[in-house]
Amino acid sequence: DFYLCRKLTDITLGESVATIGHDAFRYCENLANVYCKSNTPPDLGFNPFAQKNRYQLKLYVPRQSIEKYQKNSEWHFWYNSQIFAYDF
């Protein structure tokens, strides 16, 4: 995981990512953009992007899959207002 990786600003998660673990990016204080290429929302551990600026984080997902992400209970609960469509 990338716990406490303060230099990380953007990440791209590949199409095959199936799970983002508990606290995987916790305290990555400068993380601003996550690009998730998977058409299927990965399973989320507890609060994987927990940081003090969490609500400024933007999560970009495939345009054709944005509804899947928004309707997925885990993604909806933690990040619904931060999910944006993206053309990869």
Side-chain angles (χ1 to χ4, degrees), residues 45-59:
F46 180 77
N47 211 4
F49 302 106
Q51 63 221 40
K52 66 181 178 181
N53 298 325
R54 185 184 117 195
Y55 296 105
Q56 295 173 346
L57 182 68
K58 293 185 174 140
L59 301 152

Side-chain angles (χ1 to χ4, degrees), residues 21-59:
H22 173 70
D23 289 337
F25 298 94
R26 187 171 190 154
Y27 302 123
C28 295
E29 295 171 354
N30 295 308
L31 183 60
N33 301 296
V34 175
Y35 299 89
C36 187
K37 292 183 171 185
S38 178
N39 287 316
T40 301
D43 292 332
L44 299 179
F46 180 77
N47 211 4
F49 302 106
Q51 63 221 40
K52 66 181 178 181
N53 298 325
R54 185 184 117 195
Y55 296 105
Q56 295 173 346
L57 182 68
K58 293 185 174 140
L59 301 152

